[in-house]
Amino acid sequence: MDSLKIERDGTGLRVRIEGAAREAQQFEQTVSACRRESLWSCPSGECARIDSCACERDGDAVVLRLAPRPGEKLSPAGVGECLRYVLGKPGGAKPA
């Protein structure tokens, strides 16, 4: 992964992944699949706390805006672990 930056954005998190614009659609599908599989897929289990995931392009980067489920709080470290796991899986989206 070229560069991963995770920061608080209100009650959610903003995740910026540099060098992934060409893979934006596949990346969003991969993250959504991880959320559907929840604790069975990712060792961090953080995806189970995500209520919504909006994916957008910003030049060369993909930006994810993650909102927590009601009553939950997202962990930047947990989300980072989850994304590294998803991106490292065979067939997972890889930043260009």
Side-chain angles (χ1 to χ4, degrees):
M1 179 176 330
D2 292 358
S3 172
L4 176 68
K5 182 179 179 183
I6 303 172
E7 58 190 17
R8 290 262 171 228
D9 184 20
T11 60
L13 296 176
R14 181 178 181 270
V15 181
R16 182 180 178 87
I17 303 161
E18 296 290 338
R22 286 186 288 149
E23 304 290 341
Q25 185 175 2
Q26 182 184 0
F27 181 82
E28 184 176 16
Q29 290 169 353
T30 303
V31 171
S32 294
C34 180
R35 287 177 51 229
R36 279 192 308 275
E37 294 172 26
S38 189
L39 300 173
W40 298 105
S41 176
C42 177
S44 79
E46 196 65 25
C47 51
R49 294 184 177 95
I50 298 171
D51 186 43
S52 66
C53 172
C55 183
E56 57 193 54
R57 292 182 188 191
D58 182 12
D60 219 15
V62 170
V63 177
L64 298 175
R65 296 187 186 279
L66 306 176
R69 292 178 188 261
E72 297 282 356
K73 184 174 182 181
L74 297 176
S75 159
V79 167
E81 181 182 348
C82 182
L83 291 174
R84 285 181 185 88
Y85 174 80
V86 168
L87 292 172
K89 287 174 68 173
K94 302 262 191 271

Coordinates of all heavy atoms in Angstrom, one line a residue:
M1 N 0.9 -1.2 0.0 CA 0.0 0.0 0.0 C 0.9 1.2 0.0 O 1.8 1.3 0.8 CB -0.9 -0.1 1.3 CG -1.8 1.0 1.5 SD -2.8 0.8 2.9 CE -3.0 -0.9 3.1
D2 N 0.6 2.2 -0.9 CA 1.5 3.3 -1.0 C 1.5 4.2 0.2 O 2.6 4.4 0.8 CB 1.1 4.2 -2.2 CG 1.4 3.5 -3.6 OD1 1.9 2.4 -3.6 OD2 1.0 4.1 -4.6
S3 N 0.4 4.6 0.7 CA 0.3 5.5 1.8 C -1.1 5.4 2.4 O -2.1 5.6 1.6 CB 0.6 6.9 1.5 OG 0.4 7.8 2.5
L4 N -1.3 5.2 3.7 CA -2.6 5.1 4.3 C -2.6 6.1 5.5 O -1.7 6.1 6.3 CB -2.8 3.7 4.9 CG -4.0 3.5 5.7 CD1 -5.2 3.5 4.8 CD2 -3.9 2.1 6.4
K5 N -3.6 7.1 5.4 CA -3.7 8.1 6.5 C -5.1 8.0 7.0 O -6.1 8.1 6.3 CB -3.4 9.5 5.9 CG -3.5 10.6 6.9 CD -3.2 11.9 6.3 CE -3.3 13.0 7.4 NZ -3.0 14.3 6.8
I6 N -5.2 7.8 8.3 CA -6.5 7.7 9.0 C -6.7 8.9 10.0 O -5.8 9.0 10.9 CB -6.7 6.4 9.7 CG1 -6.5 5.2 8.7 CG2 -8.1 6.3 10.4 CD1 -6.5 3.9 9.3
E7 N -7.7 9.6 9.9 CA -7.9 10.7 10.9 C -9.4 10.8 11.3 O -10.3 10.4 10.5 CB -7.4 12.0 10.3 CG -8.1 12.5 9.0 CD -7.4 13.6 8.4 OE1 -6.2 14.0 8.7 OE2 -8.0 14.2 7.5
R8 N -9.7 11.4 12.4 CA -11.1 11.6 12.9 C -11.8 12.6 12.0 O -11.2 13.5 11.5 CB -11.1 12.1 14.3 CG -10.6 11.1 15.3 CD -11.8 10.5 16.0 NE -11.4 9.4 16.8 CZ -11.9 8.2 16.8 NH1 -12.9 7.9 16.0 NH2 -11.4 7.2 17.5
D9 N -13.0 12.3 11.7 CA -13.9 13.2 10.9 C -15.2 13.2 11.6 O -16.1 12.4 11.3 CB -13.9 12.7 9.5 CG -14.7 13.6 8.6 OD1 -14.9 14.8 8.9 OD2 -15.2 13.1 7.5
G10 N -15.4 14.1 12.5 CA -16.7 14.1 13.3 C -16.7 12.9 14.2 O -15.8 12.6 14.9
T11 N -17.8 12.1 14.1 CA -17.9 10.9 14.9 C -17.3 9.7 14.1 O -17.1 8.6 14.7 CB -19.4 10.5 15.2 OG1 -20.1 10.4 13.9 CG2 -20.0 11.6 16.0
G12 N -16.9 9.9 12.9 CA -16.4 8.8 12.0 C -14.9 9.0 11.8 O -14.2 9.7 12.5
L13 N -14.5 8.3 10.7 CA -13.1 8.4 10.3 C -13.0 8.7 8.8 O -13.8 8.4 8.1 CB -12.4 7.1 10.6 CG -12.2 6.6 12.0 CD1 -11.6 5.2 12.0 CD2 -11.4 7.6 12.8
R14 N -11.9 9.4 8.5 CA -11.6 9.7 7.1 C -10.3 8.9 6.8 O -9.3 9.1 7.5 CB -11.4 11.2 6.9 CG -11.1 11.6 5.5 CD -11.0 13.1 5.4 NE -10.7 13.5 4.0 CZ -9.5 13.7 3.5 NH1 -8.4 13.5 4.2 NH2 -9.4 14.1 2.3
V15 N -10.3 8.1 5.8 CA -9.2 7.3 5.4 C -8.8 7.7 4.0 O -9.5 7.6 3.1 CB -9.5 5.8 5.4 CG1 -8.3 4.9 5.1 CG2 -10.1 5.4 6.8
R16 N -7.5 8.1 3.9 CA -7.0 8.5 2.6 C -5.9 7.5 2.2 O -4.9 7.2 2.9 CB -6.4 9.9 2.7 CG -5.8 10.4 1.3 CD -5.3 11.8 1.5 NE -4.7 12.2 0.2 CZ -5.4 12.8 -0.7 NH1 -6.7 13.1 -0.6 NH2 -4.8 13.2 -1.8
I17 N -6.1 6.9 1.0 CA -5.1 5.9 0.5 C -4.5 6.5 -0.8 O -5.2 6.6 -1.8 CB -5.8 4.6 0.3 CG1 -6.4 4.1 1.6 CG2 -4.7 3.5 -0.2 CD1 -7.4 3.0 1.4
E18 N -3.3 6.8 -0.8 CA -2.6 7.4 -2.0 C -2.3 6.3 -3.0 O -2.1 5.1 -2.7 CB -1.3 8.0 -1.6 CG -1.4 9.2 -0.6 CD -2.0 10.4 -1.3 OE1 -2.0 10.5 -2.5 OE2 -2.5 11.3 -0.5
G19 N -2.4 6.7 -4.3 CA -2.1 5.8 -5.3 C -3.1 4.7 -5.7 O -2.7 3.7 -6.3
A20 N -4.3 4.9 -5.3 CA -5.3 3.9 -5.5 C -6.5 4.3 -6.4 O -7.4 3.6 -6.5 CB -5.9 3.4 -4.1
A21 N -6.4 5.4 -7.0 CA -7.5 6.0 -7.8 C -8.0 5.0 -8.9 O -9.2 4.8 -9.1 CB -7.2 7.3 -8.4
R22 N -7.1 4.3 -9.6 CA -7.5 3.4 -10.6 C -8.3 2.2 -10.1 O -9.0 1.6 -10.8 CB -6.3 2.9 -11.4 CG -5.8 4.0 -12.4 CD -4.7 3.5 -13.2 NE -3.5 3.3 -12.5 CZ -2.6 2.4 -12.7 NH1 -2.8 1.6 -13.7 NH2 -1.5 2.2 -12.0
E23 N -8.2 1.9 -8.8 CA -8.8 0.8 -8.2 C -10.0 1.1 -7.4 O -10.5 0.3 -6.6 CB -7.8 0.0 -7.4 CG -6.6 -0.5 -8.1 CD -6.8 -1.6 -9.1 OE1 -7.9 -2.2 -9.0 OE2 -6.0 -1.7 -10.0
A24 N -10.5 2.4 -7.5 CA -11.5 2.9 -6.5 C -12.7 2.0 -6.4 O -13.2 1.7 -5.3 CB -11.9 4.3 -6.9
Q25 N -13.3 1.6 -7.6 CA -14.5 0.8 -7.5 C -14.3 -0.5 -6.9 O -15.0 -1.0 -6.0 CB -15.1 0.7 -8.9 CG -16.5 0.0 -8.9 CD -17.1 -0.1 -10.2 OE1 -16.6 0.4 -11.2 NE2 -18.3 -0.6 -10.3
Q26 N -13.2 -1.2 -7.3 CA -12.9 -2.5 -6.8 C -12.6 -2.4 -5.3 O -12.9 -3.2 -4.5 CB -11.7 -3.1 -7.5 CG -11.4 -4.5 -7.0 CD -10.1 -5.1 -7.7 OE1 -9.5 -4.5 -8.5 NE2 -9.8 -6.3 -7.2
F27 N -11.9 -1.3 -4.9 CA -11.5 -1.1 -3.5 C -12.8 -1.0 -2.7 O -12.9 -1.6 -1.6 CB -10.7 0.2 -3.4 CG -10.2 0.4 -2.0 CD1 -9.1 -0.3 -1.4 CD2 -10.9 1.3 -1.2 CE1 -8.8 0.0 -0.1 CE2 -10.5 1.5 0.1 CZ -9.5 0.8 0.6
E28 N -13.7 -0.2 -3.1 CA -15.0 0.0 -2.3 C -15.7 -1.3 -2.2 O -16.2 -1.6 -1.1 CB -15.9 1.1 -3.0 CG -17.1 1.4 -2.2 CD -18.0 2.5 -2.8 OE1 -17.8 2.8 -4.0 OE2 -18.8 3.0 -2.1
Q29 N -15.8 -2.1 -3.3 CA -16.4 -3.4 -3.2 C -15.7 -4.3 -2.2 O -16.4 -5.1 -1.5 CB -16.4 -4.0 -4.6 CG -17.4 -3.3 -5.6 CD -17.2 -3.8 -7.0 OE1 -16.3 -4.5 -7.3 NE2 -18.1 -3.3 -7.9
T30 N -14.4 -4.3 -2.2 CA -13.6 -5.1 -1.3 C -13.9 -4.7 0.2 O -14.1 -5.6 1.0 CB -12.1 -5.0 -1.6 OG1 -11.9 -5.4 -3.0 CG2 -11.3 -5.9 -0.7
V31 N -13.9 -3.4 0.4 CA -14.2 -3.0 1.8 C -15.6 -3.3 2.2 O -15.9 -3.8 3.3 CB -13.9 -1.5 1.9 CG1 -14.4 -1.0 3.3 CG2 -12.4 -1.2 1.8
S32 N -16.6 -3.2 1.3 CA -18.0 -3.6 1.5 C -18.1 -5.0 1.8 O -18.8 -5.4 2.7 CB -18.9 -3.2 0.4 OG -18.9 -1.8 0.2
A33 N -17.4 -5.9 1.1 CA -17.4 -7.3 1.3 C -16.8 -7.6 2.7 O -17.4 -8.5 3.4 CB -16.6 -8.0 0.3
C34 N -15.8 -6.9 3.1 CA -15.2 -7.1 4.5 C -16.3 -6.8 5.5 O -16.4 -7.5 6.5 CB -14.0 -6.3 4.6 SG -13.2 -6.5 6.3
R35 N -17.0 -5.7 5.3 CA -18.0 -5.3 6.2 C -19.1 -6.3 6.3 O -19.7 -6.6 7.4 CB -18.6 -3.9 5.9 CG -17.7 -2.8 6.1 CD -18.2 -1.4 5.7 NE -19.6 -1.2 6.2 CZ -20.6 -0.8 5.5 NH1 -20.5 -0.7 4.2 NH2 -21.8 -0.7 6.0
R36 N -19.5 -6.9 5.2 CA -20.6 -7.9 5.2 C -20.1 -9.2 5.9 O -20.9 -9.8 6.6 CB -21.0 -8.3 3.7 CG -21.9 -7.4 3.1 CD -22.5 -7.9 1.8 NE -21.5 -8.4 0.9 CZ -20.9 -7.6 0.0 NH1 -21.1 -6.4 -0.1 NH2 -20.0 -8.1 -0.8
E37 N -18.8 -9.6 5.7 CA -18.3 -10.8 6.4 C -18.0 -10.5 7.9 O -18.0 -11.4 8.7 CB -17.0 -11.2 5.7 CG -17.3 -11.7 4.3 CD -16.0 -12.0 3.5 OE1 -15.0 -12.2 4.2 OE2 -16.0 -11.9 2.3
S38 N -17.8 -9.2 8.2 CA -17.6 -8.8 9.6 C -16.5 -9.6 10.3 O -15.4 -9.8 9.8 CB -18.9 -8.8 10.3 OG -18.8 -8.2 11.5
L39 N -16.8 -10.0 11.5 CA -15.8 -10.7 12.3 C -15.2 -11.9 11.8 O -14.2 -12.4 12.2 CB -16.4 -11.0 13.7 CG -16.9 -9.8 14.5 CD1 -17.6 -10.2 15.8 CD2 -15.8 -8.8 14.9
W40 N -15.9 -12.6 10.8 CA -15.4 -13.8 10.2 C -14.3 -13.5 9.3 O -13.5 -14.4 9.0 CB -16.5 -14.5 9.5 CG -17.7 -14.9 10.4 CD1 -18.9 -14.3 10.5 CD2 -17.7 -15.9 11.3 NE1 -19.6 -14.9 11.4 CE2 -18.9 -15.9 12.0 CE3 -16.7 -16.9 11.7 CZ2 -19.3 -16.8 13.0 CZ3 -17.1 -17.8 12.7 CH2 -18.3 -17.7 13.3
S41 N -14.1 -12.3 8.8 CA -13.1 -12.0 7.8 C -11.9 -11.4 8.4 O -10.8 -11.8 8.2 CB -13.7 -11.1 6.7 OG -12.7 -10.7 5.8
C42 N -12.0 -10.3 9.1 CA -10.9 -9.4 9.5 C -10.6 -9.7 11.0 O -11.4 -9.8 11.8 CB -11.3 -8.0 9.4 SG -10.1 -6.8 10.0
P43 N -9.3 -9.9 11.2 CA -8.9 -10.2 12.6 C -9.1 -9.1 13.6 O -9.3 -9.3 14.8 CB -7.4 -10.5 12.5 CG -6.9 -10.0 11.2 CD -8.2 -9.9 10.3
S44 N -9.2 -7.8 13.1 CA -9.5 -6.7 14.0 C -10.9 -6.7 14.5 O -11.2 -6.2 15.6 CB -9.1 -5.4 13.4 OG -10.1 -4.9 12.5
G45 N -11.9 -7.1 13.6 CA -13.3 -7.0 14.0 C -13.8 -5.6 13.9 O -15.0 -5.4 14.1
E46 N -13.0 -4.7 13.5 CA -13.4 -3.3 13.4 C -14.5 -3.0 12.4 O -15.4 -2.2 12.6 CB -12.2 -2.3 13.1 CG -12.5 -0.9 13.4 CD -12.7 -0.6 14.9 OE1 -12.2 -1.4 15.8 OE2 -13.3 0.4 15.2
C47 N -14.5 -3.8 11.3 CA -15.5 -3.6 10.3 C -17.0 -3.8 10.8 O -17.9 -3.3 10.3 CB -15.3 -4.5 9.1 SG -15.0 -6.2 9.5
A48 N -17.1 -4.6 11.9 CA -18.4 -4.8 12.5 C -19.0 -3.5 13.1 O -20.2 -3.4 13.3 CB -18.3 -5.9 13.5
R49 N -18.1 -2.6 13.4 CA -18.6 -1.3 14.0 C -18.9 -0.2 12.9 O -19.4 0.8 13.3 CB -17.5 -0.7 14.9 CG -17.2 -1.6 16.1 CD -16.2 -1.0 17.0 NE -16.0 -1.7 18.2 CZ -15.1 -2.7 18.4 NH1 -14.2 -2.9 17.4 NH2 -15.0 -3.4 19.5
I50 N -18.6 -0.5 11.6 CA -18.9 0.5 10.6 C -20.3 0.4 10.1 O -20.8 -0.7 9.7 CB -17.9 0.2 9.4 CG1 -16.4 0.4 9.8 CG2 -18.2 1.2 8.2 CD1 -15.4 -0.1 8.8
D51 N -21.0 1.5 10.1 CA -22.4 1.6 9.6 C -22.4 1.9 8.2 O -23.1 1.3 7.4 CB -23.1 2.7 10.4 CG -24.6 2.7 10.1 OD1 -25.2 1.6 10.0 OD2 -25.1 3.8 9.9
S52 N -21.6 2.9 7.7 CA -21.5 3.3 6.3 C -20.1 3.6 5.9 O -19.3 4.0 6.7 CB -22.5 4.5 6.0 OG -21.9 5.6 6.7
C53 N -19.9 3.3 4.6 CA -18.6 3.6 4.0 C -18.8 4.3 2.6 O -19.3 3.7 1.7 CB -17.9 2.2 3.8 SG -16.3 2.4 2.8
A54 N -18.4 5.5 2.6 CA -18.5 6.3 1.3 C -17.1 6.3 0.7 O -16.1 6.6 1.4 CB -19.1 7.7 1.6
C55 N -17.0 6.1 -0.6 CA -15.7 6.0 -1.3 C -15.7 7.1 -2.3 O -16.7 7.2 -3.1 CB -15.5 4.6 -1.9 SG -14.0 4.4 -2.7
E56 N -14.7 7.9 -2.4 CA -14.6 8.9 -3.4 C -13.1 9.0 -3.9 O -12.2 8.6 -3.2 CB -15.1 10.3 -2.9 CG -14.3 10.7 -1.6 CD -15.0 11.9 -0.9 OE1 -16.2 11.8 -0.6 OE2 -14.4 12.9 -0.7
R57 N -13.0 9.6 -5.0 CA -11.6 9.8 -5.6 C -11.2 11.2 -5.3 O -12.0 12.1 -5.3 CB -11.6 9.6 -7.1 CG -11.8 8.2 -7.5 CD -11.7 8.0 -8.9 NE -12.1 6.7 -9.3 CZ -12.0 6.2 -10.5 NH1 -11.4 6.9 -11.5 NH2 -12.4 5.0 -10.8
D58 N -9.9 11.4 -5.0 CA -9.3 12.7 -4.8 C -8.0 12.7 -5.5 O -7.0 12.3 -4.9 CB -9.1 13.0 -3.3 CG -8.5 14.4 -3.1 OD1 -8.5 15.2 -4.0 OD2 -8.2 14.7 -1.9
G59 N -8.0 13.0 -6.8 CA -6.8 12.9 -7.6 C -6.3 11.5 -7.7 O -7.0 10.6 -8.2
D60 N -5.1 11.3 -7.1 CA -4.4 10.0 -7.2 C -4.9 9.1 -6.0 O -4.4 8.0 -5.9 CB -2.9 10.3 -7.0 CG -2.1 9.4 -7.9 OD1 -2.8 8.7 -8.8 OD2 -0.9 9.3 -7.7
A61 N -5.7 9.6 -5.1 CA -6.0 8.9 -3.9 C -7.5 8.4 -3.9 O -8.3 8.9 -4.6 CB -5.8 9.7 -2.7
V62 N -7.8 7.4 -3.0 CA -9.1 7.0 -2.7 C -9.3 7.5 -1.2 O -8.5 7.4 -0.4 CB -9.3 5.5 -2.7 CG1 -10.6 5.1 -2.2 CG2 -9.1 5.0 -4.2
V63 N -10.5 8.1 -1.0 CA -10.8 8.6 0.3 C -12.1 7.9 0.8 O -13.1 7.9 0.1 CB -11.1 10.1 0.3 CG1 -11.5 10.6 1.7 CG2 -9.8 10.9 -0.1
L64 N -12.0 7.2 1.9 CA -13.2 6.6 2.5 C -13.6 7.4 3.7 O -12.8 7.8 4.5 CB -12.8 5.2 3.0 CG -12.3 4.2 2.1 CD1 -11.8 2.9 2.8 CD2 -13.3 3.8 1.0
R65 N -14.9 7.6 3.8 CA -15.5 8.2 4.9 C -16.3 7.2 5.6 O -17.3 6.7 5.1 CB -16.4 9.4 4.5 CG -15.5 10.5 3.9 CD -16.3 11.8 3.6 NE -15.6 12.7 2.8 CZ -14.7 13.5 3.4 NH1 -14.4 13.5 4.7 NH2 -14.0 14.4 2.6
L66 N -15.9 6.8 6.8 CA -16.5 5.7 7.6 C -17.3 6.3 8.7 O -16.8 7.1 9.5 CB -15.4 4.8 8.1 CG -14.4 4.2 7.1 CD1 -13.4 3.4 7.8 CD2 -15.1 3.4 6.1
A67 N -18.5 5.9 8.8 CA -19.4 6.3 10.0 C -19.6 5.1 10.8 O -19.9 4.0 10.3 CB -20.7 6.9 9.4
P68 N -19.6 5.3 12.2 CA -19.8 4.2 13.1 C -21.3 3.8 13.2 O -22.2 4.7 13.0 CB -19.3 4.7 14.4 CG -19.5 6.1 14.3 CD -19.3 6.5 12.9
R69 N -21.6 2.6 13.6 CA -23.0 2.2 13.9 C -23.4 3.0 15.2 O -22.5 3.4 16.0 CB -23.0 0.7 14.2 CG -22.8 -0.2 13.0 CD -22.8 -1.6 13.4 NE -22.4 -2.5 12.3 CZ -23.3 -3.1 11.5 NH1 -24.5 -3.0 11.7 NH2 -22.8 -3.8 10.5
P70 N -24.7 3.2 15.4 CA -25.1 3.9 16.6 C -24.6 3.3 17.9 O -24.6 2.0 18.0 CB -26.7 3.8 16.5 CG -27.0 3.6 15.1 CD -25.8 2.8 14.5
G71 N -24.0 4.1 18.7 CA -23.5 3.6 20.0 C -22.1 3.1 19.9 O -21.5 2.7 20.9
E72 N -21.5 3.1 18.7 CA -20.1 2.6 18.5 C -19.1 3.7 18.3 O -19.5 4.8 17.9 CB -20.1 1.6 17.3 CG -20.9 0.4 17.5 CD -20.2 -0.7 18.3 OE1 -19.1 -0.5 18.8 OE2 -20.9 -1.7 18.6
K73 N -17.9 3.4 18.5 CA -16.8 4.4 18.2 C -15.7 3.6 17.4 O -15.3 2.5 17.7 CB -16.2 4.9 19.4 CG -15.1 6.0 19.2 CD -14.7 6.6 20.5 CE -13.7 7.7 20.2 NZ -13.2 8.3 21.5
L74 N -15.3 4.2 16.2 CA -14.3 3.5 15.4 C -12.9 3.8 15.9 O -12.6 4.9 16.3 CB -14.5 4.0 13.9 CG -15.8 3.7 13.3 CD1 -15.9 4.3 11.9 CD2 -16.0 2.2 13.2
S75 N -12.1 2.8 15.8 CA -10.7 2.9 16.2 C -9.8 3.1 15.0 O -9.9 2.2 14.1 CB -10.3 1.7 17.0 OG -8.9 1.5 16.9
P76 N -9.0 4.2 14.9 CA -8.1 4.3 13.7 C -7.2 3.1 13.6 O -7.0 2.7 12.5 CB -7.4 5.6 14.0 CG -8.3 6.4 14.9 CD -9.0 5.4 15.8
A77 N -6.6 2.6 14.7 CA -5.7 1.5 14.6 C -6.5 0.3 14.1 O -5.9 -0.5 13.3 CB -5.1 1.2 16.0
G78 N -7.7 0.0 14.6 CA -8.5 -1.1 14.2 C -8.8 -1.1 12.7 O -8.7 -2.0 12.0
V79 N -9.2 0.1 12.2 CA -9.6 0.3 10.8 C -8.3 0.1 10.0 O -8.4 -0.5 8.9 CB -10.2 1.7 10.6 CG1 -10.3 2.0 9.1 CG2 -11.6 1.7 11.2
G80 N -7.2 0.6 10.4 CA -5.9 0.4 9.7 C -5.6 -1.0 9.6 O -5.2 -1.5 8.5
E81 N -5.8 -1.8 10.6 CA -5.5 -3.2 10.6 C -6.5 -3.9 9.6 O -6.1 -4.8 8.8 CB -5.6 -3.8 12.0 CG -5.4 -5.3 12.0 CD -5.6 -5.9 13.4 OE1 -5.7 -5.2 14.4 OE2 -5.6 -7.2 13.5
C82 N -7.7 -3.5 9.7 CA -8.7 -4.1 8.8 C -8.4 -3.8 7.3 O -8.4 -4.7 6.5 CB -10.1 -3.5 9.1 SG -11.5 -4.2 8.2
L83 N -8.1 -2.6 7.0 CA -7.8 -2.2 5.6 C -6.5 -2.9 5.1 O -6.5 -3.4 4.0 CB -7.6 -0.7 5.5 CG -9.0 0.0 5.6 CD1 -8.7 1.5 5.6 CD2 -9.9 -0.4 4.5
R84 N -5.5 -3.0 6.0 CA -4.3 -3.7 5.5 C -4.6 -5.2 5.3 O -4.1 -5.8 4.3 CB -3.2 -3.6 6.6 CG -2.6 -2.2 6.6 CD -1.5 -2.1 7.6 NE -1.0 -0.7 7.7 CZ -1.5 0.3 8.4 NH1 -2.5 0.1 9.2 NH2 -1.0 1.5 8.3
Y85 N -5.4 -5.8 6.1 CA -5.8 -7.2 5.9 C -6.6 -7.3 4.6 O -6.3 -8.2 3.8 CB -6.7 -7.6 7.1 CG -7.3 -9.0 6.9 CD1 -6.5 -10.1 7.1 CD2 -8.6 -9.2 6.4 CE1 -7.0 -11.4 7.0 CE2 -9.1 -10.4 6.3 CZ -8.3 -11.6 6.5 OH -8.9 -12.8 6.3
V86 N -7.6 -6.5 4.3 CA -8.4 -6.5 3.1 C -7.5 -6.3 1.9 O -7.6 -7.1 0.9 CB -9.5 -5.5 3.2 CG1 -10.2 -5.4 1.8 CG2 -10.6 -5.9 4.2
L87 N -6.7 -5.3 1.9 CA -5.8 -5.1 0.7 C -4.8 -6.1 0.5 O -4.3 -6.3 -0.6 CB -5.2 -3.7 0.9 CG -6.1 -2.5 0.9 CD1 -5.4 -1.2 1.2 CD2 -6.7 -2.4 -0.5
G88 N -4.4 -6.8 1.5 CA -3.4 -7.9 1.4 C -3.9 -9.2 1.0 O -3.2 -10.1 0.7
K89 N -5.2 -9.4 1.0 CA -5.8 -10.7 0.6 C -5.7 -10.9 -0.9 O -5.8 -10.0 -1.7 CB -7.3 -10.7 0.9 CG -7.7 -10.8 2.4 CD -9.1 -10.7 2.6 CE -9.9 -11.9 2.1 NZ -11.3 -11.8 2.5
P90 N -5.5 -12.2 -1.3 CA -5.5 -12.5 -2.8 C -6.8 -12.0 -3.4 O -7.9 -12.2 -2.8 CB -5.4 -14.0 -2.8 CG -4.8 -14.4 -1.5 CD -5.3 -13.3 -0.5
G91 N -6.7 -11.3 -4.5 CA -7.9 -10.8 -5.1 C -8.4 -9.5 -4.6 O -9.3 -8.9 -5.1
G92 N -7.8 -9.0 -3.5 CA -8.2 -7.7 -2.9 C -7.6 -6.6 -3.8 O -6.7 -6.8 -4.6
A93 N -8.2 -5.4 -3.6 CA -7.8 -4.3 -4.4 C -6.4 -3.9 -4.0 O -6.1 -3.9 -2.8 CB -8.8 -3.1 -4.2
K94 N -5.6 -3.5 -4.9 CA -4.2 -3.1 -4.6 C -4.0 -1.7 -5.1 O -4.3 -1.4 -6.3 CB -3.2 -4.0 -5.3 CG -3.3 -5.5 -4.9 CD -2.3 -5.8 -3.9 CE -2.3 -7.3 -3.6 NZ -3.2 -7.8 -2.6
P95 N -3.5 -0.8 -4.3 CA -3.2 0.5 -4.8 C -2.2 0.5 -6.0 O -1.3 -0.4 -6.0 CB -2.5 1.3 -3.6 CG -3.0 0.5 -2.5 CD -3.2 -0.9 -2.9
A96 N -2.4 1.3 -7.0 CA -1.6 1.3 -8.2 C -0.2 1.9 -7.9 O -0.1 2.7 -7.0 CB -2.3 2.1 -9.3

